[in-house]
Amino acid sequence: MSDLPPAEAGASAGASAGASAGASAAALDDGASDPELASAQDLFSSLFSTRRPKDASAGVSSGIKSVLKGTVAGAVSLVAQPIAGAQEDGVKGFFAGLGSGIVSAVALPATGIAVGMYQVGRGITNTLDAAKAQAEGKLWDQERREWVAYSLEEEARDLAKLEEALEEEGGAPPSHKRGGQAVKDPAYYVLLGVEPGAAPGQIKKAYYRKARECHPDRRPGDETAAAKFQELGAAYQTLSSEASRRAYDRDGPAEPGAQGDAEAQIDPLVFFAVMFGSHLVEPYVGELWIASVADSAFKDGMGGEDATPEGLAGRAAGGDERSKREAALKQRRREVNIARNLLARAGKYVGGEEAARAFRDGCVEEAEKIGAGSFGAPFLASIGFALEIEAEEFLGFQTSFLGLDGHAARAKKRVNSVSENLTIAGAGLKALNTGRKVQKDFAELEQQQQQQQQQLKTVVERDSNSSDASAPPAEKPPPAEKRERTETEEAAAQKLMGDKLEESLPVILNLAWAINTRDISKTLKSVCKKLFCDADVGKEERIKRAEAVQILGEAFGAVGKKLGGAAAIKSVQSDDIKQRAEVAVMSTMAKAQGQEMEAGDAEEMIREAKKMKAEQEEMDRIKKAAEAEAGKGA
């Protein structure tokens, strides 16, 4: 008799059924062997997960996935095995494969159902443990599949160690080598003061430090400062892109003129911070995910063989194993920093030094300041809802009868999550359709330009070769006149192309903002768990933290709603987006040149740009009115 408990015995039976069925399907004619049984077990492991579910909800979710995977795998096997058999052994192979497929089509769904029932049972059993662990303030560890006593400060210390280890792992190999290959000329690394094996982040930090030190504005008496600064920019531009860095390591510096100016460097982190005006809300959102992904793509190189859709998608997903670890650590660091910022913001209220009313008034005042900036309303709406709903859920489970308020908040949060996903999908489809339309318009304009150029070429050749002085003027226009008219038409076409791009900017912005909203919600969900489940403090203090977060969220949400909320993003005009993009580019170029910029400098530049544009439009209006009056007088 088995010593396993009923649930474990069920899992073992399910696994055995799947393995036996898979083995039988693979060996109808020859009988099952150990390698075939091992293969069947591998198939079972790849299809079905028997990892411990957190609670009943997780168990049901895991069970449904098992049933679906088993059903789909069985259907695929029913179709694929006869085809594979026919390719190997003709008609005989087809029928052998059909038999195997039928067995798999029955066995795999049955196994999926068995595993699903097992997971549901485990989830129900674990629900009581989950409730007890949550009441104790514990967090569920996804990797270890168990409840743990979480410590915010302990995670901060662990992160510092992990980041240090990852940096050392990416440190310089001996003898000027990187990735096992010798670097032909380490001059650029020496110039930046880093080793050939330095991580991209180290290179960026070294460049910004060196750029500040040797900027010509800071060294007015040094005649060589400009040349040194230009060389430093060339070194950074080369080493900051993975593609050009590989080429440099292999071949040394490129020929003069092959490298662009340092001013051409765009730092996505700076660009998106300016583009979305996120410096005021940085304590609550950290570094936006969309900026991190763009930074990784730029860092790894956007040209050459890496500039394929697969390559870009791979980089967006995290790239290689090291990149994935870096991205995961970066997100964890982001969450810990936000949690600490929230603790500092709520410190006086949690410590009893500030009354609820005074704390709320301070939150409202801060929200109004944020709301006065660009994108303030949608930021406030997103941050406010996320903080309020997370606090409401935690407090509901801690203080309401049977946790009913907590369940209600959780249901509201799930509805919002579905809404966010649908918004992203809708914005993505709209952006895709707009992109295709713009691409089609560009193709048509390009075709028209080519036709015009061909007509011009034909006319010029005819004029230069023709000796018929009696030809009518309409058929024989002067080449210069014809050329001037064609250039005017080309300029008009270029303007039209620019206008088409500008028209698409709001659509692109809506998609980017939908992604930002989802990113903020997911990040603040993890942040609040860290705050509310911190084992370093008692239950009463954790409840006070949740109350403070709820007050902050309510204040942000109320002010954001008054200013238009998330819908305010739709009122942003193409001209405004274009101005922000221009200022964002200027800001990142200024930083690349070693210039320090205060957080509010970019917003001031944007306000000045809007003011200048309004003044120019007024001058144009007055000029046109004057010309119209002059025309009437004539």
Side-chain angles (χ1 to χ4, degrees), residues 71-133:
T71 303
V72 171
V76 170
S77 179
L78 181 61
V79 174
Q81 290 200 44
I83 296 174
Q87 290 176 339
E88 290 182 6
D89 199 16
V91 176
K92 180 181 177 182
F94 174 84
F95 284 105
L98 180 62
S100 301
I102 291 173
V103 172
S104 296
V106 173
L108 288 173
T111 304
I113 292 172
V115 174
M117 293 175 62
Y118 166 60
Q119 288 294 89
V120 170
R122 293 180 79 194
I124 293 172
T125 302
N126 293 337
T127 298
L128 292 176
D129 290 338
K132 181 180 178 182

Side-chain angles (χ1 to χ4, degrees), residues 354-624:
E354 188 175 34
R357 184 182 183 85
F359 178 64
R360 186 185 302 276
D361 290 344
C363 293
V364 171
E365 184 179 347
E366 182 181 5
E368 289 173 344
K369 183 178 178 182
I370 293 171
S374 300
F375 302 103
F379 263 126
L380 289 171
S382 297
I383 296 170
F385 179 83
L387 292 178
E388 184 179 356
I389 199 68
E390 294 299 336
E392 190 177 318
E393 180 184 6
F394 175 78
L395 292 172
F397 281 118
Q398 294 293 326
T399 60
S400 68
F401 178 69
L402 297 177
L404 294 179
D405 291 346
H407 287 292
R410 181 173 293 177
K412 192 191 303 184
K413 186 167 66 173
R414 286 174 177 167
V415 169
N416 183 70
S417 178
V418 171
S419 175
E420 287 176 345
N421 290 334
L422 290 175
T423 300
I424 291 175
L429 287 174
K430 193 170 182 180
L432 179 62
N433 292 332
T434 301
R436 286 175 176 171
K437 185 177 182 302
V438 170
Q439 187 178 22
K440 182 182 177 182
D441 292 341
F442 279 8
E444 291 175 355
L445 287 170
E446 186 177 0
Q447 186 178 6
Q448 290 174 10
Q449 289 179 353
Q450 290 174 352
Q451 290 173 352
Q452 291 170 357
Q453 290 172 0
Q454 184 61 41
Q455 290 172 2
L456 172 61
K457 183 179 178 182
T458 302
V459 170
V460 171
E461 289 177 352
R462 186 189 66 192
D463 289 346
S464 61
N465 296 329
S466 175
S467 59
D468 184 3
S470 64
E475 296 180 9
K476 185 182 177 182
E481 182 183 333
K482 180 66 179 177
R483 188 175 299 110
E484 182 180 349
R485 186 161 62 249
T486 304
E487 289 173 354
T488 302
E489 292 171 353
E490 184 174 347
Q494 292 289 346
K495 184 180 183 304
L496 183 59
M497 291 171 69
D499 292 342
K500 292 287 184 183
L501 272 177
E502 286 189 33
E503 288 175 9
S504 67
L505 287 178
V507 177
I508 296 171
L509 180 66
N510 281 331
L511 173 59
W513 189 258
I515 294 171
N516 281 344
T517 300
R518 183 67 175 139
D519 170 44
I520 290 170
S521 295
K522 291 181 68 176
T523 298
L524 291 182
K525 175 182 178 181
S526 297
V527 166
C528 288
K529 282 186 177 180
K530 295 178 190 301
L531 284 177
F532 305 157
C533 299
D534 189 354
D536 289 341
V537 298
K539 181 178 179 180
E540 288 186 6
E541 182 166 332
R542 286 188 276 114
I543 289 177
K544 290 287 285 184
R545 288 180 180 183
E547 289 173 353
V549 168
Q550 187 176 32
I551 292 171
L552 182 66
E554 289 173 349
F556 276 28
V559 174
K561 184 178 181 181
K562 186 170 67 175
L563 296 174
I569 201 75
K570 297 179 181 178
S571 64
V572 180
Q573 301 298 313
S574 297
D575 286 346
D576 293 336
I577 302 171
K578 185 180 177 183
Q579 286 170 354
R580 294 197 72 86
E582 289 171 351
V583 172
V585 170
M586 286 190 287
S587 299
T588 190
M589 286 180 177
K591 186 171 182 181
Q593 295 174 29
Q595 298 178 20
E596 294 288 349
M597 289 190 66
E598 297 295 331
D601 288 350
E603 292 299 323
E604 182 61 32
M605 290 168 67
I606 292 168
R607 284 192 291 270
E608 285 298 317
K610 290 181 178 179
K611 182 180 177 181
M612 290 174 62
K613 185 176 184 297
E615 290 174 351
Q616 184 62 48
E617 288 176 349
E618 180 63 17
M619 289 175 64
D620 291 343
R621 187 189 66 78
I622 294 172
K623 183 180 178 180
K624 287 181 180 179

